[in-house]
Amino acid sequence: MSDSNDGIVLTEEQKRRRRARSIAIAVSLGVIVVLFYLVTLVKGPAVLNRPL
Amino acid sequence: MSLISEGALSKPLPSLAEPSLAGVEDYLALLKPRVMSLVVFTALVGLLVAPGHVHPVIGFTALLCIAIGAGASGALNMWYDADIDAIMTRTLRRPIPAGRVQPGEALAFGATLAVGSVLVLGVLVNWFAAALLAFTIAFYVFVYTMWLKRSTPQNIVIGGAAGAFPPMIGWAAVTGDVSLAPFLMFLIIFLWTPPHFWALSLLRCDDYARAGVPMLPVVSGLDETRKQILIYTLILAPVGITPSLFGFAGLIYGAIAAICGAAMLYLAWRVYRDREGEVAASAARKLFAFSLLYVFVLFAALLADNLLARLGFGFGLAP
């Protein structure tokens, strides 16, 4: 089994940027969830029952 | 029987990529936010002047998807053009040539957003608008970026269609179809694109030549480019007024479009006339700057004219 120090060790800057990217992804996913929720409210229960 | 051969195990594992140093701002830069602002604005106008009512949430969703789709096109363009971006001074500091974003990351980012924006637009708004958005993204990436840009000086003439579709998509998001009015909006942006980009290319001719991009001034020379700018502006100026002539806009829009068209024509004439030294560069810079204003003013006037007409203050030419 290899020593844990053999792996990639992120610098503080890399950790900071990875955290910023993760937060951005989380916010984007949250926006999509809210968007689908709002559109479902606006369109009503027939949102998926419509002709293509 | 083993699924992995012994030989495969003896080979060294592929080296892992360096941990990414890309910040959120680098991914935002991949979306070409300045181009996106024009796309969002023209799409907003297309959406608001379309007949019928759209719920604000649905309208916002449509605009968001169009913006994300345009951004995805930009990211895919930067992925494919990273080699020439690294040569040109104007694009040298973009995230991929600067080494902050790996090409594969940009490709995955752009492809995900492209597919996502089309699917969300289709599911939440309508599939006709989604099909138009998909076509626009595909046209920009496959036809313009991968094919035309490096092969013909007509690259931005034909490729300009991709930038002209957003108002049509905005209109389609409301009505579910397209008609003459969104086609006229398409035509204005389509005819505006060549003088706009060729004015820029007059200033960046050496950059394009070094990168091997066959822009018109590189292939046919500066004088031919000046002539083509004038010809396209001569066509654009009257086409800019057509929404009033066909009754889709009133006299207010028509007057503003006529004044802006005359100003653009004057600046194009200056570019055609002044061919030497700083005077020539200044003329090209002024045309480039005004062309940006031109398209924003025309679409803002179209929106204002339409809103006034809906409020009962219209001065229309139509019966």
Side-chain angles (χ1 to χ4, degrees):
Chain A
M1 189 173 173
S2 64
D3 189 83
S4 60
N5 288 334
D6 290 346
I8 293 172
V9 179
L10 299 182
T11 64
E12 283 306 309
E13 180 63 10
Q14 286 167 338
K15 284 180 184 171
R16 192 181 65 78
R17 293 196 178 205
R18 184 178 65 177
R19 182 176 165 77
R21 291 197 302 269
S22 301
I23 291 170
I25 292 169
V27 169
S28 305
L29 290 173
V31 168
I32 291 173
V33 170
V34 171
L35 194 65
F36 269 78
Y37 177 69
L38 289 176
V39 172
T40 308
L41 287 182
V42 168
K43 292 204 167 197
V47 63
L48 293 176
N49 180 22
R50 59 206 181 91
L52 289 177
Chain B
M1 184 181 167
S2 170
L3 289 172
I4 305 172
S5 68
E6 287 182 16
L9 286 173
S10 65
K11 289 177 186 169
L13 288 169
S15 61
L16 293 169
E18 280 288 304
S20 178
L21 261 177
V24 174
E25 68 279 5
D26 292 318
Y27 282 96
L28 290 177
L30 285 176
L31 301 177
K32 295 191 178 181
R34 276 190 295 181
V35 176
M36 195 194 276
S37 65
L38 178 65
V39 166
V40 169
F41 181 63
T42 56
L44 173 70
V45 174
L47 189 136
L48 291 178
V49 302
H53 170 75
V54 64
H55 192 284
V57 171
I58 303 297
F60 172 78
T61 304
L63 281 181
L64 185 68
C65 290
I66 295 168
I68 300 290
S73 305
L76 292 169
N77 171 274
M78 284 200 209
W79 160 70
Y80 192 80
D81 279 348
D83 55 340
I84 54 178
D85 282 353
I87 300 171
M88 293 174 63
T89 313
R90 186 173 69 92
T91 53
L92 194 60
R93 284 182 292 277
R94 283 178 173 176
I96 302 175
R100 296 191 301 275
V101 173
Q102 296 299 311
E105 291 174 323
L107 172 63
F109 181 62
T112 305
L113 292 186
V115 173
S117 61
V118 170
L119 288 180
V120 172
L121 187 63
V123 170
L124 299 187
V125 182
N126 70 59
W127 285 103
F128 183 73
L132 270 180
L133 180 62
F135 178 77
T136 304
I137 296 170
F139 192 87
Y140 186 74
V141 174
F142 297 113
V143 178
Y144 170 68
T145 303
M146 294 186 179
W147 176 27
L148 298 173
K149 185 171 179 180
R150 299 174 190 234
S151 62
T152 168
Q154 295 299 311
N155 47 16
I156 52 111
V157 177
I158 308 164
F165 273 114
M168 201 179 260
I169 304 171
W171 179 287
V174 178
T175 63
D177 60 15
V178 288
S179 58
L180 184 59
F183 177 72
L184 292 178
M185 289 189 271
F186 169 91
L187 207 56
I188 289 169
I189 302 177
F190 182 73
L191 291 168
W192 163 86
T193 306
H196 171 73
F197 277 104
W198 283 337
L200 176 70
S201 70
L202 284 175
L203 299 165
R204 308 279 184 183
C205 186
D206 294 343
D207 235 10
Y208 285 116
R210 206 167 53 247
V213 180
M215 291 296 281
L216 192 61
V218 177
V219 176
S220 304
L222 300 178
D223 288 350
E224 177 62 22
T225 306
R226 291 188 173 99
K227 190 174 89 180
Q228 293 292 328
I229 286 174
L230 187 60
I231 291 170
Y232 271 92
T233 312
L234 275 167
I235 303 169
L236 170 67
V239 168
I241 309 169
T242 52
S244 285
L245 299 179
F246 283 97
F248 301 124
L251 286 173
I252 294 174
Y253 170 82
I256 292 171
I259 293 166
C260 289
M264 181 112 172
L265 204 50
Y266 170 71
L267 292 172
W269 165 252
R270 290 271 305 270
V271 169
Y272 182 73
R273 189 193 64 187
D274 301 333
R275 302 184 175 203
E276 298 295 333
E278 181 51 34
V279 183
S282 169
R285 267 196 299 272
K286 282 177 182 166
L287 177 63
F288 177 73
F290 183 78
S291 64
L292 276 171
L293 187 67
Y294 175 86
V295 79
F296 272 104
V297 169
L298 246 66
F299 275 78
L302 196 60
L303 180 59
D305 194 299
N306 185 272
L307 291 178
L308 284 173
R310 287 190 187 201
L311 293 170
F313 300 107
F315 302 96
L317 290 170

